[in-house]
Amino acid sequence: MKKGHRHTGPITLLVSAGAIVLFALIGILLVWLSGGQADSQAGSLEEKWSGYDVILDENCRSGPLEGKASEKEVEYGWLHYRLNESPFFRDCDTAGTVYFQSDRGNQHFVRISYILDDGDEVYRSGMIPPDSHIREAKLQKRLADGIYPGICQIELFDMDSLEQLGTLEEEITITVQN
């Protein structure tokens, strides 16, 4: 039986190295096009709203929470949203279940605040654009274990001037449990 002749010269090495580089570039291109889940959402959200003079909430992500968001256009001055009326925090150092969503058809930036019945503000988001959500965030004030009734204040802002247009209030109950 005759054995095949192996080419191990410089041309074979160059072809092999070129193929490896080509496959690596294709892989990098595919990863770049698909993007990492969190990075692509944060990046696309920042890019999408970069023309506006606004600082988006650091916990804000593009798209709806689980399920489907309202697709219909909302009349100027109105707001479609989803709100967790019972946010839960394991402790004051851990992100809790904010679960706030501003639907795609909205025409305003939104900012939410948690205000206890005694008037103490314990959480305030940054700006939340349409078609985005905040899943989790940390409280900004320490609370002892307990159940705290209060409101979620939802402020609407004009997208061009950032002028505050109005405020909505929803009753919530915040639970902190160590």
Side-chain angles (χ1 to χ4, degrees):
M1 210 194 270
K2 187 176 179 183
K3 291 188 177 181
H5 181 67
R6 290 187 120 180
H7 295 282
T8 58
I11 293 175
T12 304
L13 290 175
L14 284 175
V15 170
S16 297
I20 291 171
V21 168
L22 180 63
F23 287 121
L25 289 174
I26 290 171
I28 290 170
L29 179 65
L30 290 174
V31 169
W32 180 74
L33 288 175
S34 66
Q37 183 77 1
D39 291 342
S40 80
Q41 286 182 348
S44 65
L45 191 65
E46 290 170 3
E47 290 169 13
K48 182 176 181 179
W49 300 103
S50 65
Y52 293 83
D53 189 23
V54 65
I55 298 173
L56 300 180
D57 189 281
E58 66 182 334
N59 298 304
C60 195
R61 299 292 178 259
S62 185
L65 289 163
E66 299 82 23
K68 189 174 181 179
S70 170
E71 298 285 333
K72 71 179 187 175
E73 190 77 12
V74 177
E75 187 177 327
Y76 188 81
W78 291 81
L79 182 71
H80 276 219
Y81 61 92
R82 287 175 58 190
L83 169 70
N84 178 11
E85 296 173 341
S86 303
F88 176 83
F89 297 85
R90 176 83 42 218
D91 56 51
C92 291
D93 298 320
T94 306
T97 58
V98 172
Y99 293 149
F100 179 85
Q101 171 182 303
S102 177
D103 284 353
R104 177 175 293 155
N106 290 334
Q107 300 177 32
H108 306 293
F109 288 116
V110 177
R111 180 173 58 204
I112 63 171
S113 302
Y114 290 170
I115 302 170
L116 303 181
D117 281 350
D118 66 5
D120 197 16
E121 183 180 272
V122 295
Y123 170 73
R124 178 181 290 238
S125 74
M127 292 293 190
I128 306 166
D131 192 27
S132 61
H133 68 274
I134 295 177
R135 179 187 261 318
E136 296 179 326
K138 292 181 182 180
L139 292 175
Q140 293 157 341
K141 288 201 175 181
R142 287 203 158 279
L143 295 175
D145 287 1
I147 297 173
Y148 298 86
I151 60 164
C152 177
Q153 185 178 66
I154 305 167
E155 300 170 275
L156 282 72
F157 295 87
D158 180 84
M159 293 176 69
D160 294 320
S161 69
L162 296 182
E163 175 186 344
Q164 184 178 354
L165 299 173
T167 303
L168 306 167
E169 293 183 350
E170 295 278 354
E171 290 185 11
I172 60 170
T173 303
I174 301 169
T175 301
V176 178
Q177 179 182 7
N178 285 323

